[in-house]
Amino acid sequence: MDHADLFSRSWTALRTAVAGLRDEDFARPSGCTGWLVRDLVCHLVIDAQDVLITLATPSDREPTRDAVTYWEVSATPPTGEDPLDALTVRLAAAYEDPKLLMFHLDDVGSAAGRAALLADPALKVGTRDEVLTVADYLSAYVMEWTLHHLDLIAHLPDPELPPAQGLTRSREMLERIAGSPFPASFHDRDALLVGTGRRAPTEAERSELGDLAARLPLRLG
């Protein structure tokens, strides 16, 4: 499956999961520290806007990043108090009616999905003062959508997992960032959750991780 198809499948699954939320679900905690589900959904609106902006920002420079090096790795856990994170919380609260937030995500998110499918994979685009090919940019966002899908369903009853292909691709990228594979016994979901600090490993998992455990978690931004 190519970059655009996997991007589309992952993004469609995430937006479908949001569309299935009940009003009361928006007040549940998400898997993102300090954010409720409504805050995460508001962040997805901003993400969709970023996709549209980036795909409409061609560059003549040579690529400076790829799908793996796109990510900044930090040892500092998020607190939810970063100014941009705090702004997202205020924006989410301003919607008041969850249906308005869902409508905005569907509107902007659909446009971002169409733009991704129409974009030339070889085109070089600029974002965050870096340059990537469209193919690498969309591949990086498969990880974004997959991790946030896991964040969305973290405290929901009867959640549906992200697409299996997106989980596998995201695990592969995280292993490249970590410089080491996760144990074969780890489900892709668990590799992502433990690897990015979304949950702590069990004692058995820590033992299986071996030397890799000392390098985890990897905080991606």
Side-chain angles (χ1 to χ4, degrees):
M1 185 177 297
D2 71 17
H3 59 280
D5 288 338
L6 190 49
F7 173 99
S8 179
R9 181 171 295 192
S10 300
W11 185 219
T12 298
L14 178 49
R15 288 166 42 228
T16 299
V18 172
L21 295 174
R22 301 165 299 176
D23 284 0
E24 57 265 33
D25 291 331
F26 282 78
R28 294 179 185 271
S30 77
C32 294
T33 302
W35 278 2
L36 301 176
V37 166
R38 73 177 186 188
D39 306 322
L40 174 58
V41 175
C42 186
H43 172 73
L44 295 178
V45 173
I46 297 171
D47 264 353
Q49 292 172 338
D50 284 346
V51 169
L52 286 169
I53 292 168
T54 299
L55 294 180
T57 309
S59 175
D60 293 328
R61 297 164 54 203
E62 288 304 306
T64 57
R65 301 286 180 106
D66 60 24
V68 172
T69 58
Y70 169 85
W71 299 98
E72 298 287 348
V73 182
S74 172
T76 305
T79 63
E81 297 176 358
D82 176 86
L84 183 56
D85 290 349
L87 174 61
T88 300
V89 172
R90 293 197 297 273
L91 286 173
Y95 278 91
E96 295 185 357
D97 184 350
K99 290 182 176 59
L100 294 176
L101 185 52
M102 293 170 73
F103 172 79
H104 197 181
L105 177 63
D106 183 63
D107 194 32
V108 181
S110 295
R114 288 192 298 272
L117 290 173
L118 292 171
D120 177 355
L123 180 69
K124 293 173 290 187
V125 292
T127 181
R128 305 194 304 189
D129 295 324
E130 303 289 351
V131 177
L132 301 87
T133 64
V134 165
D136 276 324
Y137 178 70
L138 297 184
S139 292
Y141 257 81
V142 169
M143 174 112 76
E144 177 82 355
W145 301 147
T146 299
L147 289 175
H148 280 329
H149 196 142
L150 294 174
D151 291 331
L152 182 77
I153 66 175
H155 300 283
L156 296 180
D158 303 317
E160 185 168 344
L161 288 176
Q165 299 94 330
L167 285 166
T168 298
R169 182 71 62 83
S170 298
R171 176 188 182 142
E172 291 169 354
M173 285 193 282
L174 187 63
E175 289 178 335
R176 289 175 61 190
I177 293 169
S180 174
F182 284 83
S185 61
F186 275 52
H187 184 281
D188 292 341
R189 176 189 187 181
D190 293 320
L192 293 171
L193 292 176
V194 171
T196 61
R198 283 167 164 80
R199 77 164 175 82
T202 64
E203 286 302 317
E205 288 172 335
R206 184 175 293 279
S207 177
E208 286 189 79
L209 286 166
D211 293 341
L212 178 57
R215 304 201 298 275
L216 299 179
L218 302 170
R219 313 286 185 180
L220 306 181

